[in-house]
Amino acid sequence: DKKTVPDLINTYEWTHQLSQAGFIAAPVSCFKHAPMADSWDNITVGMKVEVENTDCDNFSEDFPDSFWVATVLRIAGYKALLRYEGFGQNDAKDFWVNLCSSMVHPVGWCATRGKPLIPPKTIEDKYKDWKDFLVKRLTGARTLPSNFYNKVHDNLKSRFRCDLNLEVVDKNKISQVKVARIEKIVGKRLHVCYYDARPDDNDFVRKEELSGNSSTENKCTRRTNKLRRYCQPPEGFWCHEDSPLIHPVGWAKRVGHKLDAPREYIDHCAKGLRDKDDATEDLFPLPYYVPAGCVPFEAGMKLEAIDPLNLSAICVATVKKILNEGYLMIRIDSYDDESATTSDSDWFCYHMTSPCIFPVGFCEMNDLPLRPPKDYSPETFTWTDYLTLTGARPAPAHFFNREIPNHNFMLGMRLEAADLMDPRLICVGTVSRVIGRLLKIHFDGWEEDYDQWLDCESPDIYPVGWCQLVAHKLEGPPSPMKN
Amino acid sequence: MTDTKTRKWEQKQVQIRTLEGEFSVTMWASGTDD
């Protein structure tokens, strides 16, 4: 019982929401990085499975556990509403299960283990000949493949292992990456520890170290403090293994990104040496190949970008520096004056193909609020005036990634999402806007200020039931009492 | 046999055991057995 694991105490259960009218979970197949996503379309309503029969006498010496066949009536993420076979239209014993849990089996599983199917007590007298009934109900029906759980198990394995070294965006100085070590892995989410981490290191960006975005610092601190009332204290930094925030050993040197690392690490990389615990490139998603000299962006160009320190805002931004292999250093124009901050400490690295950067006019075209540069108000800001005043050139629209995958996310779909301002937290959320491939994720029960703009292929969003599947705590909506 | 419409489903004999005895039925399983 995963609920007895200390980390999972008070984990949120979707169960009471699943049957509510209008509840729609984003299908597992929408989340490419999620276990079983590539074969989830084969999981269908009407499918038959074998599950524990809880409608029976509590104890029998001959059969300590009892199983029966059930039909999948509804699917919501990894969860399925089941009805025991033979109940007809009677929904009295319907129940929700996680289809990837070890409690659900393909039809035939019981026989391979010598366990007989025993009809539930409610219907045990309904038929005289259960064999005839089962033959009629099961012949031609669909069930799970016999290796379903091997597949689930394989799909849950991370490419990484604990103790590997890698380069991770420094949460306290976003313009640099820092050497870190993988401490723990849960559901392909890596808990990494910076090489110089202090014992009291927290996930959220520390107030005194944030460079010039006071609204974000207050937001992070406020939310974390709220959650801390009923959460374990945060430690280290969490991200998914496909996150663009992590890189192999040697990446910073290769692309020309700032690096914070011990002297011996820098020397090691300079010599092209690798340690057995160094994360190598093959562990990371294949980078988009951009040949040298083929980056059309130029320093000084203006664009619109998701604020890496406040994912609810799309902002006026500037390309500050071109790195190798198509990486760009970008600065959000609404941050404090550069002269008032520590030089380039608030620049952030986006790849030129990132779905989180947009051409000038993207927000206006999609009727989205655009956060203007510092000292401008949304009412008075116009791109035309700003470009004239700054003498800057807008990055042309064809420089940007314009591909829109056929993602199938729709407004109102429910999911589980990492709070990227405190990424050890996975919270219940709702797709509140869909703009092409861009999704706005609303955290249920929280103000809109906490919403996050994420790409439809973000590895930080998961189907309903993912936390339960990987044994990660799920944060429910804040209860009014606790607030 | 494979479902020619989707090529994802395979017909298979599935063993069922009840208190009265054992028998088999023909079902479709999604084709991830390989």
Side-chain angles (χ1 to χ4, degrees), chain A residues 36 39-51 70 72 75 78 80 82 97-109 141-152, chain B residues 8-10 12-14 27-33:
Chain A
M36 307 303 287
S39 54
W40 202 256
D41 284 342
N42 293 339
I43 307 297
T44 55
V45 167
M47 197 170 229
K48 313 286 181 187
V49 291
E50 290 178 351
V51 278
V72 174
I75 298 170
Y78 288 112
L82 300 185
V97 293
N98 194 312
L99 274 176
C100 291
S101 80
S102 56
M103 294 155 68
V104 185
H105 311 280
V107 174
W109 179 86
R142 290 175 170 188
T143 190
L144 301 169
S146 55
N147 66 346
F148 184 71
Y149 291 100
N150 295 338
K151 286 262 173 190
V152 173
Chain B
K8 282 180 184 171
W9 293 89
E10 287 165 4
K12 58 189 289 182
Q13 288 295 112
V14 175
M27 296 188 77
W28 293 95
S30 51
T32 55
D33 273 353

Side-chain angles (χ1 to χ4, degrees), chain A residues 22-43:
Chain A
F23 184 95
I24 311 166
V28 172
S29 51
C30 287
F31 306 83
K32 281 184 182 169
H33 54 283
M36 307 303 287
D38 57 349
S39 54
W40 202 256
D41 284 342
N42 293 339
I43 307 297

Side-chain angles (χ1 to χ4, degrees), chain A residues 179-230:
Chain A
V179 175
R181 185 177 54 82
I182 299 173
E183 186 105 317
K184 190 177 175 185
I185 306 176
V186 179
K188 301 190 187 186
R189 289 187 69 80
L190 315 178
H191 183 201
V192 298
C193 207
Y194 293 118
Y195 79 93
D196 59 348
R198 297 189 301 249
D200 63 342
D201 199 13
N202 290 338
D203 263 326
F204 59 93
V205 183
R206 275 189 294 278
K207 195 173 179 178
E208 70 278 12
E209 285 167 326
L210 243 175
S211 48
N213 194 332
S214 56
S215 61
T216 308
E217 76 186 34
N218 292 336
K219 192 186 289 183
C220 300
T221 315
R222 194 167 78 231
R223 179 159 180 175
T224 306
N225 285 341
K226 268 186 183 178
L227 290 165
R228 194 179 284 155
R229 292 179 190 174
Y230 49 98

Side-chain angles (χ1 to χ4, degrees), chain B residues 4 15-16 20:
Chain B
T4 50
Q15 208 66 17
I16 305 292
E20 290 77 33

Side-chain angles (χ1 to χ4, degrees), chain A residues 27-131:
Chain A
V28 172
S29 51
C30 287
F31 306 83
K32 281 184 182 169
H33 54 283
M36 307 303 287
D38 57 349
S39 54
W40 202 256
D41 284 342
N42 293 339
I43 307 297
T44 55
V45 167
M47 197 170 229
K48 313 286 181 187
V49 291
E50 290 178 351
V51 278
E52 192 182 355
N53 171 11
T54 56
D55 181 18
C56 65
D57 289 330
N58 281 338
F59 181 75
S60 151
E61 268 185 20
D62 295 333
F63 308 110
D65 45 4
S66 171
F67 292 86
W68 189 240
V69 179
T71 305
V72 174
L73 298 181
R74 281 179 59 194
I75 298 170
Y78 288 112
K79 303 271 198 169
L81 179 66
L82 300 185
R83 179 171 298 170
Y84 288 124
E85 206 55 65
F87 271 71
Q89 299 304 307
N90 179 0
D91 63 4
K93 300 283 178 182
D94 290 358
F95 57 103
W96 286 92
V97 293
N98 194 312
L99 274 176
C100 291
S101 80
S102 56
M103 294 155 68
V104 185
H105 311 280
V107 174
W109 179 86
C110 284
T112 62
R113 277 156 184 76
K115 295 171 186 287
L117 295 172
I118 300 171
K121 245 182 130 39
T122 308
I123 56 164
E124 65 184 349
D125 299 323
K126 194 170 175 183
Y127 298 97
K128 282 200 177 91
D129 188 348
W130 282 106
K131 178 187 167 184

Side-chain angles (χ1 to χ4, degrees), chain A residues 9-30:
Chain A
I9 291 169
N10 294 329
T11 192
Y12 181 74
E13 298 282 352
W14 283 101
T15 315
H16 74 280
Q17 285 203 59
L18 295 172
S19 297
Q20 284 175 2
F23 184 95
I24 311 166
V28 172
S29 51
C30 287

Side-chain angles (χ1 to χ4, degrees), chain A residues 170-176 205-217 307-310 330-338 340-348 374:
Chain A
D170 183 350
K171 67 191 180 191
N172 296 319
K173 192 177 175 188
I174 59 172
S175 62
Q176 65 182 18
V205 183
R206 275 189 294 278
K207 195 173 179 178
E208 70 278 12
E209 285 167 326
L210 243 175
S211 48
N213 194 332
S214 56
S215 61
T216 308
E217 76 186 34
D307 180 353
L309 293 175
N310 177 4
I330 283 171
R331 186 175 191 274
I332 301 298
D333 287 14
S334 59
Y335 290 169
D336 282 346
D337 284 345
E338 278 179 275
T341 64
T342 325
S343 62
D344 56 1
S345 63
D346 53 7
W347 297 5
F348 184 71
K374 192 174 165 53

